[in-house]
Amino acid sequence: MTPRVPRLSILWVRSTSAWSFGATDSCSGGWGPALASRVADGSDFRSDRPDRAQKSRFRARWSPLAIAGRLAARVARTTPPSKRRARDAAWEAIMKKARAAVERRCRKQASSQAGRKKHALGSSQAKPSTSDAYAGTIPEFPEAPAGLAKPQEEVVLQASVSPYHLFRDAAEVTVFRENLLSWYDQEKRDLPWRRRAKGEVDLDRRAYAVWVSEVMLQQTQVATVINYYTRWMQKWPTLQDLASASLEEVNQLWAGLGYYSRGRRLQEGARKVVEELGGHVPRTAETLQRLLPGVGRYTAGAIASIAFGQATGVVDGNVVRVLCRVRAIGADASSTLVSQQLWSLAQQLVDPARPGDFNQAAMELGATVCTPQHPLCSQCPVQSLCRAHQRVEREQLLTSQSLPGSLDVEECAPNTGQCQLCAPPTEPWDQTLGVANFPRKASRRPPREECSAICVLEQPRALGDARILLVQRPNSGLLAGLWEFPSVTVAPSGQCQRKALLQELRSWAGPLPASHLQHLGQVVHTFSHIKLTYQVYGLALEEQTPVTTPSGARWLTREEFHTAAVSTAMKKVFRVYEGQQPGTCKSSRRSQVSIPASRKRPSPGQQTLDGFFQPHIPTDASSLNSAAQ
């Protein structure tokens, strides 16, 4: 609670009232009384406006921070020594609010001037206007109470960035563009979306082809996407075809690709283009990002540059790696400062004549040459411009005893500690990594762990294959709208799993025999932020057992299950039910399947030992005859 100070509120009202009416000529440069008199008699005062200097002096004197400083000084003179502590507390409260208001204004003005160069020193002969000085400084208060620190004169509004991390002349940019595009023309991979975009004359269909590929390639490898992209474009070759499809069909084709919300948002965007935009895809990156759901800054830039030829840069994981190594950016690439700098570099480098090819070339370089581990620096077309490669050469020469001395290589001033694009001092250079020291790996939170009991409920049929029960997940959240086996979230300890799972099963299929429920094993699957352990159960019903099929559930054959809209985790669960060999899935490092030891097949070594100690029993006739003789 702020201590009360006598006359504090009165002083504040008296001081701030001058802001509106102008107390004296001296404080406002002749503006206050003149302006008040003209307003009072209704005359037109526009022809006699005060000049900029007068306005600046007025703002400087009657800004909230200046008023607070004079007010605090006045309180200091009128407050007796016995109330000095209360006076200091009041000063703290006043200055905190006033300083916060000024700093917000300073940051706003500085952000609008970001990227502009400072004025030449020769222009400093003329006195700068108070408003310009006000944008970067906080006024000083010589009358502040004793014992309180004065506010800092300068407010640091822009991070210090060394020219070492930038492209400083047009020659470097030109060489980078020419070398990269020349390499791309010779080494680019033949991919289906590139062929389709290149051969498509209709701009909307070309944009749709690029759009689908860019969404599928998010967090997914090219080799995995090729098959999905081909099947997608065969089924829905135009935006109109996708807009008329059902979400069930989209989820069914997307099943196994991961990050299932991407397919849903892609269809939502197609419907918006068809229903609200007349079937025409927005032509610029800005309108693409603003109008289409699920289209972020990267996807919008990729579509605009590849399909429409807009000269806009893009930054994805591959481009981040390339730029961080080329300009030796060792700070956390996920931070706001570094992210903005990378986007600025990408925009500076993009070739206005071939923006789509340039962006694809930068991504291609990061995917095939400038890889996260074991990069192929000898094949890099921009090696001569790579700061990381220069750093590797310098470190190798410094550690070599046969070559004493230091290499004359430009580097960022490491001793100042002010460059926020360099690696922090706590992360020294690792000689074994080489250029892979860049970019810095961001620390990730470990996924939270959850446990779920899940059951494959199978019903035999007199005619045809047996059927299994699937239920649909909610339309929002993890795996939205997909189908899965009935499950229930349980504690990792495993207590009361069977009881909770039986209750869930009976809510879907009616009364079920509890004695037939068997635990088969577990499946561990890691999503982007959740490590989910499925405790797999199986329950095979008798043929005469009556079951119900409520809304949101359906019975499918095994063949229908493999083509349904189910996640990869559900296919792992079904493999455990079918009794397949456990182990780590080859198609996904993040999934692991295991079954109880009582149900596991013996290893090859164990089979050899068992065969050695068991008596050999011949099975063919010749062996029987020879044994009888």
Side-chain angles (χ1 to χ4, degrees):
M1 182 175 180
T2 304
R4 293 187 58 188
V5 178
R7 302 172 60 200
L8 181 60
S9 59
I10 299 176
L11 292 173
W12 178 265
V13 171
R14 289 177 180 174
S15 298
T16 54
S17 61
W19 176 269
S20 302
F21 301 103
T24 61
D25 275 342
S26 60
C27 70
S28 59
W31 187 18
L35 179 61
S37 61
R38 290 182 179 273
V39 171
D41 61 17
S43 60
D44 186 3
F45 54 88
R46 290 177 295 178
S47 60
D48 191 23
R49 288 181 177 177
D51 57 19
R52 180 175 296 180
Q54 292 175 333
K55 291 181 181 180
S56 300
R57 289 194 296 271
F58 184 86
R59 293 193 188 101
R61 181 169 180 81
W62 297 111
S63 66
L65 203 54
I67 294 173
R70 293 195 302 275
L71 214 160
R74 192 169 181 180
V75 169
R77 292 194 300 269
T78 58
T79 303
S82 59
K83 297 183 178 180
R84 188 169 298 171
R85 182 175 299 178
R87 177 202 68 189
D88 293 348
W91 160 262
E92 291 279 6
I94 294 172
M95 291 304 300
K96 183 177 181 180
K97 293 183 179 180
R99 192 181 297 112
V102 172
E103 289 179 352
R104 283 196 299 268
R105 181 177 176 183
C106 291
R107 285 193 296 268
K108 184 176 180 180
Q109 292 184 0
S111 61
S112 64
Q113 298 175 357
R116 298 179 182 176
K117 295 183 178 179
K118 294 183 179 180
H119 293 291
L121 294 177
S123 62
S124 61
Q125 297 176 356
K127 291 185 178 180
S129 64
T130 309
S131 59
D132 294 336
Y134 180 74
T137 61
I138 294 180
E140 186 178 358
F141 306 111
E143 298 178 338
L148 295 178
K150 297 179 181 180
Q152 296 181 355
E153 294 185 2
E154 295 292 332
V155 177
V156 180
L157 301 174
Q158 296 181 354
S160 175
V161 176
S162 169
Y164 174 74
H165 303 289
L166 307 176
F167 288 91
R168 288 167 292 181
D169 53 56
E172 274 189 326
V173 174
T174 302
V175 172
F176 189 96
R177 291 171 179 171
E178 292 177 350
N179 292 355
L180 183 60
L181 286 172
S182 177
W183 169 85
Y184 178 72
D185 291 337
Q186 299 177 6
E187 304 294 337
K188 63 181 177 182
R189 292 171 291 180
D190 183 22
L191 300 174
W193 46 87
R194 289 177 179 169
R195 294 195 302 268
R196 184 178 287 267
K198 184 178 181 180
E200 185 59 63
V201 178
D202 185 88
L203 291 180
D204 293 309
R205 298 188 66 158
R206 183 194 304 171
Y208 170 64
V210 176
W211 186 3
V212 173
S213 67
E214 292 300 335
V215 172
M216 286 187 172
L217 286 168
Q218 295 171 8
Q219 305 293 330
T220 311
Q221 296 181 353
V222 170
T224 304
V225 170
I226 291 177
N227 185 37
Y228 281 91
Y229 181 84
T230 303
R231 291 190 289 117
W232 182 286
M233 298 305 294
Q234 288 175 350
K235 189 168 186 176
W236 302 303
T238 65
L239 281 164
Q240 290 73 15
D241 296 327
L242 178 59
S244 61
S246 64
L247 181 59
E248 174 70 18
E249 292 177 304
V250 173
N251 287 336
Q252 185 175 350
L253 197 149
W254 201 278
L257 195 56
Y259 299 93
Y260 296 91
S261 62
R262 295 180 295 171
R264 183 178 71 253
R265 301 299 293 275
L266 182 56
Q267 189 195 33
E268 292 175 0
R271 286 179 173 174
K272 184 169 185 178
V273 170
V274 173
E275 297 172 2
E276 301 180 19
L277 303 179
H280 298 294
V281 180
R283 295 304 197 249
T284 65
E286 295 76 14
T287 53
L288 282 164
Q289 186 176 356
R290 186 176 72 251
L291 298 178
L292 299 184
V295 174
R297 186 176 183 181
Y298 161 75
T299 305
I303 297 172
S305 61
I306 299 173
F308 303 128
Q310 181 184 359
T312 180
V314 298
V315 175
D316 72 338
N318 292 318
V319 177
V320 166
R321 186 164 54 256
V322 170
L323 293 180
C324 283
R325 289 175 179 173
V326 169
R327 295 293 93 176
I329 298 176
D332 185 2
S334 62
S335 66
T336 303
L337 172 68
V338 178
S339 178
Q340 292 177 350
Q341 186 62 40
L342 293 175
W343 278 98
S344 177
L345 287 174
Q347 185 61 40
Q348 179 187 7
L349 292 173
V350 64
D351 192 333
R354 300 175 59 187
D357 287 341
F358 181 88
N359 288 333
Q360 292 184 88
M363 293 184 282
E364 186 89 344
L365 183 66
T368 61
V369 175
C370 196
T371 54
Q373 298 177 353
H374 310 295
L376 307 175
C377 293
S378 60
Q379 303 178 19
C380 180
V382 293
Q383 184 190 74
S384 60
L385 300 173
C386 183
R387 302 277 194 215
H389 182 70
Q390 296 170 5
R391 175 73 183 273
V392 170
E393 291 182 335
R394 175 180 177 273
E395 294 293 336
Q396 289 176 349
L397 289 175
L398 288 177
T399 56
S400 175
Q401 297 181 358
S402 60
L403 294 175
S406 60
L407 183 66
D408 185 16
V409 176
E410 182 184 5
E411 58 180 327
C412 184
N415 298 324
T416 60
Q418 297 179 353
C419 180
Q420 298 192 22
L421 294 184
C422 287
T426 56
E427 297 188 11
W429 177 267
D430 189 345
Q431 188 71 27
T432 61
L433 294 178
V435 298
N437 280 280
F438 305 98
R440 175 187 172 193
K441 293 183 179 179
S443 58
R444 295 183 179 180
R445 286 185 179 181
R448 71 173 187 268
E449 297 188 7
E450 295 183 2
C451 186
S452 177
I454 193 167
C455 179
V456 180
L457 182 61
E458 186 172 19
Q459 181 190 33
R461 302 176 65 186
L463 298 176
D465 296 335
R467 301 185 304 171
I468 53 180
L469 178 65
L470 292 178
V471 298
Q472 192 171 26
R473 292 186 60 85
N475 292 328
S476 61
L478 183 67
L479 305 176
L482 298 184
W483 294 85
E484 67 176 5
F485 300 112
S487 63
V488 60
T489 302
V490 296
S493 60
Q495 297 179 356
C496 305
Q497 281 187 8
R498 293 176 60 89
K499 183 178 179 180
L501 184 57
L502 273 173
Q503 185 177 358
E504 179 71 13
L505 291 172
R506 288 167 179 167
S507 67
W508 289 106
L512 299 173
S515 59
H516 292 179
L517 186 64
Q518 296 182 354
H519 182 256
L520 306 178
Q522 73 176 18
V523 170
V524 180
H525 190 84
T526 302
F527 299 92
S528 58
H529 58 290
I530 300 175
K531 182 180 180 181
L532 187 54
T533 301
Y534 293 98
Q535 297 296 336
V536 183
Y537 290 81
L539 199 160
L541 301 176
E542 297 179 356
E543 188 175 343
Q544 297 81 10
T545 304
V547 293
T548 60
T549 307
S551 176
R554 63 182 183 179
W555 294 86
L556 299 179
T557 63
R558 296 194 177 197
E559 289 74 15
E560 293 172 337
F561 167 80
H562 290 293
T563 59
V566 296
S567 65
T568 303
M570 291 303 103
K571 294 181 180 179
K572 311 299 182 189
V573 170
F574 193 61
R575 288 184 184 179
V576 174
Y577 178 77
E578 290 181 320
Q580 294 188 5
Q581 178 69 26
T584 303
C585 177
K586 295 181 181 180
S587 60
S588 175
R589 294 184 183 178
R590 302 185 301 170
S591 299
Q592 185 176 1
V593 180
S594 62
I595 60 178
S598 59
R599 300 178 57 87
K600 290 184 178 180
R601 297 179 183 178
S603 63
Q606 186 64 39
Q607 292 179 7
T608 303
L609 291 175
D610 293 342
F612 178 79
F613 287 107
Q614 290 179 357
H616 176 68
I617 302 176
T619 57
D620 58 341
S622 59
S623 298
L624 289 173
N625 293 334
S626 60
Q629 293 176 357

